[in-house]
């Protein structure tokens, strides 16, 4: 599921509306004229939608991409919170797979899987995700004789 703000949804709806008229994609200038947004704000919203793979922008024309579900939220803070919750679920699933029967996963192995595995997070997001899971009581950092580990609670 993709999470977007109300303003992003407004831009997306305009792209949907104009897409039937423009087969090669909606020209940027048409969107800019129709929407009551500053140019900077419109560019930022289009970049966000492109990063989320909701739209594509070939030759400065905007085209809709096939998307399963879109969840419209009030603010960027709510979008970040919702995305973090989904990321936490994925991360916890990875941790339980890594922990196996003994219930422990090495700190370095966990961080490596978060950085270079399926999620491909940066170091700050990895740190925030692990701290969030610890604060929610899903995992706990433990010190064993051969290094630092996380255990499942």
């Amino acid at each position: 599921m993709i999470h977007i703000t109300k303003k992003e949804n407004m831009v997306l709806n305009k792209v949907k509306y104009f897409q039937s008229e423009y087969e090669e994609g909606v020209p940027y200038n048409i969107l800019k004229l129709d929407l009551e947004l500053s140019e900077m704000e419109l560019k930022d919203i289009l970049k966000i939608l492109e990063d989320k793979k909701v739209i594509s922008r070939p030759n400065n024309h905007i085209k809709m991409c096939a998307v399963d579900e879109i969840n419209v939220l009030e603010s960027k803070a709510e979008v970040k919170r919702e995305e973090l919750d989904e990321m936490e679920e994925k991360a916890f699933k990875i941790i339980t797979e890594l922990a196996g029967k003994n219930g422990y996963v090495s700190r370095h192995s966990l961080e490596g899987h978060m950085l270079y595995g399926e999620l491909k997070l940066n170091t700050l997001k990895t740190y925030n995700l692990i701290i969030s899971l610890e604060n929610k009581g899903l995992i706990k950092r433990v010190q064993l004789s051969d290094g630092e580990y996380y255990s499942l609670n």
Side-chain angles (χ1 to χ4, degrees), residues 79-129:
V79 169
K80 286 182 181 179
R81 192 174 322 116
E82 197 68 33
E83 287 175 347
L84 180 62
D85 289 345
E86 285 183 8
M87 195 68 68
E88 287 171 344
E89 288 176 23
K90 290 177 184 175
F92 188 68
K93 181 180 174 190
I94 290 171
I95 293 168
T96 54
E97 290 172 1
L98 290 174
K101 293 181 181 178
N102 69 359
Y104 292 104
V105 60
S106 132
R107 186 191 84 170
H108 298 293
S109 176
L110 174 61
E111 290 173 356
H113 275 80
M114 296 294 142
L115 290 168
Y116 307 112
E118 178 185 335
L119 299 179
K120 297 195 185 314
L121 302 174
N122 63 32
T123 53
L124 182 61
K125 286 184 180 180
T126 299
Y127 172 77
N128 288 338
L129 188 60

Side-chain angles (χ1 to χ4, degrees), residues 7-12 14-15 26-50 55 57 60 62 76:
K7 279 191 177 182
E8 293 164 358
N9 190 46
M10 179 181 69
V11 172
L12 195 59
K14 286 295 180 182
V15 172
V26 181
Y28 173 79
N29 292 336
I30 299 294
L31 271 182
K32 187 174 131 187
L33 289 173
D34 195 61
L35 293 168
E36 295 179 7
L37 298 172
S38 69
E39 187 167 350
M40 185 69 96
E41 192 174 21
L42 180 59
K43 283 184 176 184
D44 289 344
I45 289 172
L46 290 174
K47 176 73 173 125
I48 290 168
L49 291 173
E50 188 176 22
I55 62 168
R57 294 196 293 184
N60 209 22
I62 295 97
K76 286 184 179 182

